[in-house]
Amino acid sequence: MTRNSVLNVRHRELGCTLDGETWNGMPIPWSYHTDVNDEVVAVRTRAGLYDVSGLNIVNVSGPAALKILDKLVTIDVTKLEPGTSRLAGEVNEEGALVDDIMVICDDKEHYRLSHGSGATQQTLAELAKGEDVTVEQDYDVHILSLQGPRSIDILDPELDFDLAQLPYFKHINTTLFGRDVVIARGGYSGERGYEVYCSAADAVYLWDMILEKGQPFGAIPASWDSLDLTRVEAALLFFPFDMPEGDTTPWEVNMDWCVDLDKPGDYIGKDAVLKLKGRERFKQIGLECMTNQAVEIGAKLLIDGKEVGVITSAIYSQYLMKSIAMAHIKPQYSQLGTAVTIDSDKPVKANIVKMPFYDPMRMRTHPK
């Protein structure tokens, strides 16, 4: 099914043709007439406004909502309190990752799932059979993501609560510029940021008002090309692109945090994924590449002429003045400082470095 953001009218005014690759059935504003690197600078130093309505939002409600969600994911959903959310692992019977997913708890019988392009909805439909639960994709909701250090200065004066007190992965029902919204703290940029969930009817108005109020703080619209730059700088994974094997486990991509080892409840693939811990075929690593351009995604990593890994995401970061990449490599070669060669027409030297590349202690998103 083809979906369209009501904000497409604004994206076209900003120079986007919306004729590039779609995501989750929705045309995406990959680029504007502005320079993508200027957009990154805005997000890193001021604020950038993204339309991330391409995410799938699924409402799961009813007496059995908690029961089926706890069977779906690797985290203990019973511990989620209203107003909180968590990123989770979702695996198949073989213990392999099958989607990006965030579980959002509104109350113990009403949840929202934010997920990518994987198997979530097909699996949910099977789990819901015969259960007292309603599973419906929300085709009306739009998500405006304001990312950057000045995001709080732009939104806080317009709210009836202290936005600084809203913790990471928490959300609240409120009004913004007189419209009903849900505001959540989070994002995909490696910066302080907030996501505004609103109705389609209010999305254009809220987009315009956020940019109007943000203009004195240097806020600008930001394209998805800049979002990809910031997420790689922050070493944030994108399913399925950073899991190209098709049977990648959480342990192989440093997602240990998304599997609750002490979860008492059963879930799809529980036995398999727990048995695979410690049996990683490769590890997720970061690379600094000795070139002034992005290396090729899918390029092989070589040590002494032997293939040892593959590039999964790669950019040239003008903000960091580095060519950086995320890759999978055999565990015995994953130590920091290891030198590799990236196989291409002109082979590129690279070294394994600590991730994230930007803000390595994640102080921007989790300030002490």
Side-chain angles (χ1 to χ4, degrees):
M1 160 175 198
T2 300
R3 301 188 293 149
N4 280 288
S5 169
V6 299
L7 290 163
N8 283 352
V9 60
R10 293 292 182 263
H11 301 322
R12 290 191 176 95
E13 290 169 355
L14 291 163
C16 185
T17 57
L18 295 169
D19 59 359
E21 186 177 354
T22 62
W23 187 60
N24 291 340
M26 181 176 281
I28 296 299
W30 290 107
S31 63
Y32 295 144
H33 57 65
T34 43
D35 187 300
V36 66
N37 294 299
D38 291 341
E39 295 169 19
V40 171
V41 171
V43 170
R44 294 280 178 245
T45 63
R46 304 187 304 275
L49 183 62
Y50 294 102
D51 174 12
V52 295
S53 305
L55 283 163
N56 288 313
I57 303 296
V58 180
N59 297 321
V60 183
S61 58
L66 174 56
K67 174 184 174 182
I68 71 164
L69 291 181
D70 208 42
K71 290 182 178 179
L72 177 72
V73 295
T74 57
I75 64 167
D76 189 348
V77 182
T78 68
K79 292 182 178 180
L80 274 184
E81 294 298 324
T84 68
S85 60
R86 266 192 74 184
L87 296 171
E90 183 182 344
V91 299
N92 59 19
E93 293 289 3
E94 288 72 46
L97 291 162
V98 294
D99 209 348
D100 277 332
I101 188 166
M102 182 166 66
V103 183
I104 306 165
C105 178
D106 293 319
D107 64 52
K108 291 296 186 176
E109 290 193 3
H110 295 85
Y111 295 82
R112 287 172 290 139
L113 299 181
S114 173
H115 77 92
S117 57
T120 294
Q121 293 196 48
Q122 301 93 303
T123 308
L124 266 179
E126 289 298 315
L127 290 173
K129 287 180 179 177
E131 298 287 356
D132 189 2
V133 66
T134 301
V135 178
E136 294 179 325
Q137 181 161 358
D138 189 340
Y139 291 108
D140 182 70
V141 67
H142 279 57
I143 310 169
L144 313 185
S145 183
L146 185 64
Q147 298 291 301
R150 303 310 297 270
S151 57
I152 187 170
D153 302 309
I154 296 165
L155 296 177
D156 187 60
E158 312 303 329
L159 299 169
D160 61 1
F161 67 97
D162 184 0
L163 189 56
Q165 298 305 308
L166 186 67
Y168 208 64
F169 285 122
K170 298 288 181 69
H171 63 276
I172 190 169
N173 291 70
T174 187
T175 58
L176 180 64
F177 304 115
R179 308 300 167 95
D180 291 333
V181 299
V182 176
I183 290 187
R185 183 167 173 192
Y188 200 44
S189 67
E191 292 292 342
R192 175 189 283 270
Y194 300 91
E195 296 188 324
V196 178
Y197 295 76
C198 66
S199 69
D202 294 333
V204 173
Y205 173 75
L206 289 169
W207 175 273
D208 291 345
M209 289 302 296
I210 291 170
L211 288 173
E212 179 182 320
K213 295 295 184 179
Q215 194 272 337
F217 298 96
I220 63 171
S223 67
W224 275 50
D225 279 348
S226 72
L227 186 60
D228 195 52
L229 290 173
T230 58
R231 74 99 187 166
V232 175
E233 289 172 348
L236 300 174
L237 304 180
F238 190 9
F239 178 91
F241 305 101
D242 287 305
M243 299 87 175
E245 297 80 10
D247 60 353
T248 310
T249 72
W251 321 115
E252 292 170 330
V253 287
N254 303 330
M255 287 179 61
D256 305 44
W257 48 266
C258 79
V259 181
D260 288 347
L261 297 176
D262 60 350
K263 176 176 176 174
D266 196 14
Y267 57 86
I268 296 169
K270 180 176 183 178
D271 289 343
V273 76
L274 295 181
K275 287 177 181 175
L276 287 167
K277 183 174 172 60
R279 297 168 59 186
E280 295 79 25
R281 298 159 298 170
F282 50 83
K283 298 295 288 183
Q284 185 93 34
I285 58 159
L287 292 171
E288 282 189 11
C289 311
M290 303 301 107
T291 178
N292 61 359
Q293 57 191 0
V295 299
E296 184 179 354
I297 294 170
K300 305 303 181 186
L301 304 183
L302 307 177
I303 293 180
D304 296 330
K306 181 172 65 174
E307 182 180 324
V308 296
V310 63
I311 300 290
T312 63
S313 287
I315 63 168
Y316 180 79
S317 168
Q318 185 167 302
Y319 190 78
L320 299 178
M321 299 298 288
K322 292 177 182 178
S323 178
I324 55 178
M326 292 190 287
H328 292 173
I329 197 168
K330 292 180 179 180
Q332 61 267 37
Y333 302 107
S334 63
Q335 295 82 5
L336 292 177
T338 300
V340 302
T341 299
I342 300 168
D343 193 21
S344 65
D345 292 339
K346 294 183 177 179
V348 175
K349 301 293 184 182
N351 295 299
I352 298 179
V353 297
K354 183 178 173 60
M355 294 189 294
F357 308 97
Y358 172 77
D359 185 22
M361 295 183 67
R362 299 200 187 278
M363 296 295 291
R364 306 285 280 186
T365 51
H366 296 75
K368 301 301 181 186

